Amino acid sequence: MDFMVLTLFPELVSSFFEHGMISRGIEKGLIKGDYINIRNFSCDRHNTVDDRPYGGGSGMIMKIEPLQAAILHAKKKAPESRVVLMSPQGNRFSQERAFELALQNQGLIFVCGRYEGIDERVYTTLVDEELSIGDYVMTGGELASMVIIDAIARLIPGVLGSCESCRSDSFTDNRLEYAQYTRPEEFEGLKVPEILLSGNHEKIRLWRKKSSLQRTFLKRPDLLQKGCLDAEEKKILKQWGQELESLVKE
Ligand code: 4GM
């Protein structure tokens, strides 16, 4: 899957493509990470990419001509790709959307804004979709595009070491991930739950399911209302309720 980022700060993005699992995925040929400096597409000798807003007011607005030229160049390199503009007004990105986009396997061209905004005609003529990573404003779209690329890339088979590790991720099936431990068995009096040392795979599976449900119930109860509980989950929660009740009775 091809990722291309159009930005005024290509170094921000290049270092992201050069580290960790993302760079490994690129080396393995599973994903492509590229970037284009929007300033290279400015139309005058001062390399202007922004201008004052019509109607007055403070701040500078990104001009349409360099953005159009950069987007057309990116489209020429990757004609099948979808053009996504990062903005706080966009559709909210989520784990569900990450799965959708990874499955579609269509390349993505990210347009990252800077300054106080972008000429409205960019949104209406050059962009397939606006995406947002949350209800807050940043100085540029670069971090948002990297968040999205990271979340999608790790779902592409082979990018992470094992396929198992992303199947049990938080938010998949609207559940948070279960508690995990590694050595030592005891740290400053804090012990690893014994079941995890038992080697009993069925007991471990049930313990993990319970841990996942407990965490979701305590930290993100909104997720439990969204997806309904299956029979096994109901049983586990009922059992937890009984455990709590017996504590109160004693
Ligand atoms: C306004 C318009 C994305 C601001 C376009 C970008 C937050 C997000 C910017 C832009 C951004 C977000 C740059 N801030 N919540 N700032 O995903 O690109």
Side-chain angles (χ1 to χ4, degrees), residues 95 98-99 150-156 160 162-178 180 212 215-216 223:
Q95 188 65 36
F99 276 115
D150 196 286
I152 295 171
R154 64 189 289 287
L155 297 177
I156 291 168
L160 289 190
S162 82
C163 201
E164 280 300 311
S165 60
C166 67
R167 214 174 299 149
S168 60
D169 278 340
S170 286
F171 304 113
T172 306
D173 306 323
N174 280 316
R175 301 288 179 268
L176 299 182
E177 193 170 38
Y178 50 75
Q180 302 198 84
S212 163
R215 281 178 151 198
T216 310
L223 294 178

Side-chain angles (χ1 to χ4, degrees), residues 17-249:
F17 285 135
E18 284 160 16
H19 290 87
M21 290 301 197
I22 301 298
S23 84
R24 266 293 189 92
I26 292 171
E27 274 167 26
K28 288 192 216 163
L30 299 167
I31 51 174
K32 258 165 79 180
D34 210 350
Y35 46 86
I36 285 177
N37 190 341
I38 297 166
R39 201 174 292 282
N40 294 344
F41 293 86
S42 66
C43 309
D44 58 41
R45 61 195 175 86
H46 302 293
N47 288 337
T48 312
V49 288
D50 61 331
D51 207 340
R52 287 164 293 137
Y54 277 120
S58 65
M60 298 292 269
I61 306 300
M62 285 182 86
K63 290 166 69 63
I64 190 167
E65 300 98 320
L67 280 170
Q68 184 194 41
I71 291 169
L72 292 180
H73 180 82
K75 277 287 237 188
K76 215 179 242 174
K77 276 177 121 178
E80 304 298 321
S81 285
R82 187 178 171 79
V83 179
V84 174
L85 193 140
M86 298 314 308
S87 119
Q89 300 151 37
N91 297 326
R92 178 68 65 83
F93 184 69
S94 63
Q95 188 65 36
E96 199 180 342
R97 202 66 216 287
F99 276 115
E100 270 173 29
L101 290 168
L103 208 65
Q104 268 174 20
N105 204 25
Q106 184 185 13
L108 295 172
I109 297 168
F110 291 92
V111 182
C112 302
R114 283 267 156 180
Y115 306 107
E116 270 69 31
I118 297 179
D119 190 295
E120 181 63 20
R121 292 164 290 189
V122 173
Y123 297 93
T124 50
T125 62
L126 297 172
V127 168
D128 294 315
E129 183 179 5
E130 265 182 273
L131 275 180
S132 166
I133 59 166
D135 287 345
Y136 38 85
V137 180
M138 299 181 289
T139 57
E142 287 78 6
L143 284 170
S145 70
M146 290 187 273
V147 165
I148 290 178
I149 293 169
D150 196 286
I152 295 171
R154 64 189 289 287
L155 297 177
I156 291 168
V159 171
L160 289 190
S162 82
C163 201
E164 280 300 311
S165 60
C166 67
R167 214 174 299 149
S168 60
D169 278 340
S170 286
F171 304 113
T172 306
D173 306 323
N174 280 316
R175 301 288 179 268
L176 299 182
E177 193 170 38
Y178 50 75
Q180 302 198 84
Y181 301 86
T182 185
R183 289 191 293 182
E185 237 178 85
E186 185 175 336
F187 176 74
E188 297 185 350
L190 301 171
K191 287 185 177 157
V192 174
E194 251 174 54
I195 286 180
L196 297 179
L197 313 173
S198 70
N200 184 325
H201 296 300
E202 178 59 10
K203 276 191 176 163
I204 292 172
R205 186 186 70 79
L206 285 170
W207 184 90
R208 286 183 165 161
K209 198 154 192 183
K210 182 175 177 184
S211 164
S212 163
L213 277 170
Q214 287 174 322
R215 281 178 151 198
T216 310
F217 178 78
L218 292 170
K219 296 185 187 184
R220 289 293 304 275
D222 57 305
L223 294 178
L224 282 181
Q225 275 145 23
K226 243 170 112 182
C228 49
L229 297 157
D230 68 30
E232 189 170 64
E233 288 179 325
K234 281 180 189 161
K235 196 174 150 194
I236 292 169
L237 280 180
K238 256 186 210 160
Q239 204 184 325
W240 186 30
Q242 283 161 5
E243 282 169 39
L244 293 174
E245 224 168 275
S246 72
L247 269 180
V248 179
K249 274 183 199 150

